[in-house]
Amino acid sequence: MKKEHGGNVYKVSRETGMDIKDIIDFSANINPLGIPASGKKAIEESIEGLVNYPDPDYIDFRKAIGRLHDLDYASVVPGNGAIDSLFAAVEAVQPKKVLVSVPSFVEYEKAVEKSGAEYVPSYRLEDEAYTFNVDRFINDMKTDIDLGVICNPNNPTGDIIGPEDIEKILKHCQSIGAYLLVDEAFMEFAERLGQETCIGLTEKYKGLIVSRSLTKYYAVPGLRCGYLITKDVNILEKLLSKAQPWKLNHLADRFSQSVVFDEAYNSQTGAWFREENSSLKKALDSIPGLKVNDSYANYLFFKYEGGADMAKSLLERGIMIRTCHNYDGMGENYFRVAIKDKASNEKLIMALKQICE
């Protein structure tokens, strides 16, 4: 089964003949507030800088991210989006056997396969709504595992692992000499709900590698910008000295330095997310045939127990959602929908009511 991403509105347009502007894409989890004004200004002011190559050491970018997380910039490694960072992290660890919590982001398995390591799934259970079980994951992490991978908040389920459970895993990793890679691509949204990143644990646990993305939260998936954080000097050496140069283009570099300190955008995003996360969850819960997970990310995961072809029925109404059957370990009739602006969310609710009731 081919494992694909959401957000391929171009393919859907080609296959259906629908104009892209007539499709509401709930399959891509992008902040509906759009690109921050601070980021647009940074790009406009940086255009002339395109005549030069980017700084290969990305000192200003790394210092900005360091200030953001209150850590030394030497621990920050720029990446061309989260996927580039994840592939680079796995390659740097050079594992022989990698344990991945699944169902989760499809690129983890690809990164493991590209590195030549053995991919070992640690399955979340359907009767537990695919939420994370820390004891099961630790039990699955045998002594021959070199690297563990978890997504937090998880994609597509939206559940979150608290820092205390992350530390429990890290203690086990430390005891067997394994690394832990935590993908926090949606953590900025979770932080708007009072949740915590595990970046602070990198000082205590050198085997922790944290990946962050700037493309989802700041609504620039076409720009590609992200970073890794770790205190492990051997991994940093491989990531910084042996990787291909110019991980970030000049505009992504300048954009990132500006938006991460945009408190107005954070405040606006927090207000929107807290309201729409709650209201959309409540509305979907009220629709017969839907079982909806709580979520700490800007999407909701649900099971449909009716007989309609959910994705096809919604697409006929101009709405595109993410089918989840191609996630490793996922059952049939599971879907993920982005949390968008109120008007778009209301169109989704109305369409789902028509299909389910």
Side-chain angles (χ1 to χ4, degrees):
M1 181 185 297
K2 185 176 181 182
K3 297 182 177 180
E4 299 179 327
H5 299 276
N8 196 344
V9 69
Y10 310 102
K11 180 180 178 181
V12 170
S13 176
R14 288 192 298 268
E15 292 178 346
T16 63
M18 297 175 66
D19 194 304
I20 288 177
K21 70 176 186 297
D22 295 327
I23 302 172
I24 305 177
D25 186 6
F26 278 87
S27 73
N29 310 310
I30 307 303
N31 191 334
L33 270 65
I35 304 170
S38 60
K40 292 180 181 179
K41 181 180 179 182
I43 288 176
E44 290 170 358
E45 294 177 348
S46 302
I47 291 293
E48 296 303 322
L50 290 173
V51 300
N52 300 314
Y53 285 100
D55 173 8
D57 298 316
Y58 294 101
I59 298 300
D60 290 341
F61 171 87
R62 294 165 67 201
K63 285 184 175 180
I65 299 301
R67 290 197 303 274
L68 178 68
H69 297 297
D70 193 25
L71 49 78
D72 190 330
Y73 83 90
S75 304
V76 180
V77 181
N80 188 237
I83 292 178
D84 174 68
S85 293
L86 293 166
F87 273 69
V90 175
E91 187 67 29
V93 172
Q94 296 181 315
K96 294 181 180 178
K97 208 167 186 178
V98 182
L99 183 72
V100 181
S101 175
V102 294
S104 196
F105 187 42
V106 298
E107 292 295 333
Y108 304 145
E109 183 176 354
K110 295 178 184 178
V112 172
E113 290 174 349
K114 186 176 185 296
S115 74
E118 179 183 350
Y119 165 80
V120 181
S122 174
Y123 288 109
R124 295 161 173 245
L125 303 183
E126 184 171 13
D127 62 7
E128 296 174 359
Y130 296 112
T131 54
F132 186 77
N133 184 305
V134 63
D135 294 324
R136 183 182 303 117
F137 186 79
I138 290 173
N139 184 64
D140 288 342
M141 184 171 275
K142 309 301 183 184
T143 56
D144 59 347
I145 296 293
D146 306 294
L147 172 67
V149 181
I150 54 179
C151 184
N152 198 37
N154 189 50
N155 176 10
T157 57
D159 63 305
I160 198 163
I161 309 166
E164 64 285 349
D165 281 338
I166 297 288
E167 186 162 19
K168 190 174 179 180
I169 298 168
L170 284 166
K171 287 178 179 178
H172 178 69
C173 288
Q174 196 172 62
S175 72
I176 64 173
Y179 286 90
L180 181 67
L181 173 58
V182 181
D183 179 5
E184 292 191 341
F186 295 94
M187 183 56 73
E188 288 92 346
F189 294 102
E191 287 171 334
R192 304 284 82 80
L193 297 178
Q195 300 301 306
E196 294 181 28
T197 174
C198 69
I199 288 174
L201 293 172
T202 55
E203 186 65 49
K204 184 176 180 181
Y205 297 95
K206 301 301 186 283
L208 173 61
I209 306 169
V210 183
S211 172
R212 297 288 290 249
S213 169
L214 299 174
T215 60
K216 310 287 189 181
Y217 186 80
Y218 295 107
V220 285
L223 193 57
R224 313 309 303 148
C225 40
Y227 53 93
L228 292 169
I229 292 175
T230 185
K231 294 285 186 174
D232 186 285
V233 294
N234 293 322
I235 298 300
L236 285 168
E237 171 66 20
K238 292 175 183 176
L239 289 169
L240 292 169
S241 301
K242 298 182 180 180
Q244 65 185 44
W246 300 307
K247 286 283 190 175
L248 294 179
N249 67 59
H250 173 68
L251 299 182
D253 183 357
R254 299 303 180 187
F255 173 91
S256 301
Q257 291 181 51
S258 174
V259 297
V260 294
F261 298 109
D262 190 333
E263 291 305 320
Y265 189 82
N266 280 341
S267 178
Q268 292 165 7
T269 297
W272 154 76
F273 182 54
R274 285 187 291 271
E275 179 178 352
E276 292 305 316
N277 178 300
S278 175
S279 63
L280 183 58
K281 169 68 163 56
K282 183 177 180 181
L284 297 189
D285 276 334
S286 71
I287 299 175
L290 300 188
K291 286 190 174 181
V292 191
N293 280 29
D294 290 328
S295 177
Y296 291 90
N298 61 328
Y299 47 83
L300 291 171
F301 172 77
F302 66 89
K303 182 179 183 181
Y304 170 56
E305 298 181 325
D309 185 331
M310 175 61 73
K312 181 180 178 182
S313 298
L314 283 171
L315 194 56
E316 290 171 349
R317 293 166 169 81
I319 294 173
M320 179 178 163
I321 66 171
R322 178 67 158 94
T323 58
C324 296
H325 64 274
N326 67 343
Y327 281 86
D328 189 7
M330 185 71 73
E332 295 293 328
N333 295 319
Y334 284 91
F335 303 90
R336 188 196 70 199
V337 293
I339 301 171
K340 300 177 78 68
D341 60 277
K342 184 175 290 294
S344 296
N345 292 340
E346 288 176 351
K347 290 179 181 178
L348 173 67
I349 294 165
M350 182 178 297
L352 286 169
K353 285 181 177 180
Q354 292 171 352
I355 294 167
C356 296
E357 294 180 345

